[in-house]
Amino acid sequence: MSISDTALQQRVVKLGKHASARARDSKVYQLPLWPEPTRGIPNPVLRGALFAAVQGKNRAVFQRELLACQKGLQIRFTGIQLDQSDLDVWEQGLHLARLQPLGTRCEFSVYGFLKALGRKTGKSEHEWLKNSFARLMGCGVELTDQLEHKTYGGSLLEFMRDDLSGRYVVIFNPKILTFYDGGWTAIDWQDRQRLRGKPLALWLHGYLASHAKPYPIKIETLRAFSGSSNKQIKGFKRSLFAALNELKKIDFILEFDFDGDNVIINKPPTPSQQRFLFSK
């Protein structure tokens, strides 16, 4: 084989490798297609303190803070603490983005977005939304799967805004699917709207929705997982009692009872959860 033939063969092999790399890069990443009346939220987000049950005025600022969360995962957070209203914004953005490949532009009007959140559309609400997007963009989240020994690190979204037209473009990194690897839950959007302004009830709604049949759980565990700023267990127990009553009012749970350091909650499973329990 001549030198020129060898060079040509090497060139063909190199082009083939480049083509294979482009094929891998062109893979389409897409969120699960949950139905319109729900919002698909990753279970690791629902079972930890990433979006805490706190009032906005009580936000903390963290530097690689280790947040309480379910066993097998580790979440470190840098930035201004996120709350349940930020979760509303994040999941509404994901809801719009689920219809197209991740990494592409998802465009919407600020008016329509606020209406979908059940909020007013005046100047103060526009500013509130700007602040929420800034927190979601500016934070750093390190999600570690301790079994796989792999960590996702990044912010929760990127955005662009046209201040004249009032339109946003939001982009989600395809690696956000890492959050969904631990399973996800379709959250009833109307329920969340009915609980707006009640941070602990909202957090409990998401946490309990992610379990087909909740086991008795320690009050202290719920205090830690929810990111509550209430440092006294007695004070948190009073807040927990009130929040669980809010969930009873909307018929999300049937009953609850306190047994020593534990709380026992009776929640009817969804049809899909019933099938899961039956299969087990």
Side-chain angles (χ1 to χ4, degrees):
M1 183 181 291
S2 67
I3 296 177
S4 59
D5 289 339
T6 302
L8 178 60
Q9 190 174 51
Q10 290 174 343
R11 175 64 175 164
V12 169
V13 170
K14 187 176 181 180
L15 288 172
K17 289 180 178 180
H18 287 170
S20 297
R22 285 196 300 273
R24 289 194 299 270
D25 293 343
S26 64
K27 181 179 177 181
V28 175
Y29 296 90
Q30 196 154 14
L31 291 164
L33 293 175
W34 54 82
E36 181 61 36
T38 64
R39 299 294 183 269
I41 310 179
N43 289 339
V45 168
L46 295 173
R47 297 174 181 174
L50 180 57
F51 292 93
V54 297
Q55 296 287 350
K57 61 183 179 181
N58 297 326
R59 298 179 195 275
V61 179
F62 295 131
Q63 174 66 37
R64 296 199 74 235
E65 183 78 8
L66 186 61
L67 303 180
C69 66
Q70 67 178 3
K71 187 177 180 180
L73 295 172
Q74 184 184 86
I75 298 177
R76 289 190 179 274
F77 183 84
T78 298
I80 300 174
Q81 188 178 31
L82 304 174
D83 66 7
Q84 287 291 302
S85 66
D86 295 317
L87 178 54
D88 282 339
V89 172
W90 191 62
E91 62 189 356
Q92 177 60 19
L94 289 167
H95 184 67
L96 297 175
R98 82 195 193 287
L99 300 176
Q100 56 199 40
L102 288 171
T104 58
R105 295 161 56 95
C106 176
E107 187 174 344
F108 54 86
S109 72
V110 64
Y111 176 86
F113 198 91
L114 288 169
K115 292 292 285 186
L117 294 177
R119 290 183 172 268
K120 296 180 180 178
T121 57
K123 183 178 179 180
S124 62
E125 296 292 335
H126 283 233
E127 292 302 312
W128 169 83
L129 188 61
K130 287 179 182 178
N131 289 333
S132 183
F133 272 122
R135 286 189 293 271
L136 292 165
M137 175 271 299
C139 70
V141 179
E142 300 169 54
L143 177 69
T144 301
D145 184 325
Q146 294 180 314
L147 295 177
E148 297 290 334
H149 303 288
K150 292 181 180 179
T151 298
Y152 162 84
S155 67
L156 293 177
L157 55 75
E158 300 175 15
F159 73 90
M160 293 174 281
R161 182 178 61 242
D162 187 323
D163 292 319
L164 293 178
S165 67
R167 296 192 68 80
Y168 274 82
V169 171
V170 169
I171 300 172
F172 290 96
N173 189 317
K175 292 179 182 177
I176 207 78
L177 287 173
T178 304
F179 284 89
Y180 286 84
D181 289 344
W184 60 278
T185 299
I187 296 294
D188 188 299
W189 187 239
Q190 186 177 16
D191 275 358
R192 278 194 69 86
Q193 298 303 298
R194 293 163 71 185
L195 295 170
R196 188 152 56 88
K198 302 177 176 69
L200 185 54
L202 281 166
W203 184 88
L204 284 167
H205 179 265
Y207 177 80
L208 294 172
S210 72
H211 292 80
K213 186 178 180 180
Y215 292 102
I217 186 168
K218 288 187 177 296
I219 298 169
E220 172 57 31
T221 299
L222 289 177
R223 190 191 71 81
F225 279 15
S226 67
S228 173
S229 57
N230 195 329
K231 303 303 180 184
Q232 301 297 321
I233 196 67
K234 288 184 178 179
F236 177 76
K237 186 175 179 180
R238 288 193 296 269
S239 299
L240 181 60
F241 182 88
L244 289 169
N245 270 320
E246 292 294 335
L247 297 184
K248 279 188 67 175
K249 288 179 185 178
I250 66 170
D251 297 321
F252 178 71
I253 63 173
L254 300 177
E255 295 292 341
F256 67 92
D257 193 18
F258 291 97
D259 181 16
D261 295 333
N262 296 319
V263 59
I264 303 167
I265 302 167
N266 183 2
K267 179 188 78 73
T270 65
S272 62
Q273 289 174 337
Q274 284 180 329
R275 292 191 293 271
F276 169 77
L277 292 172
F278 181 77
S279 69
K280 292 188 70 175

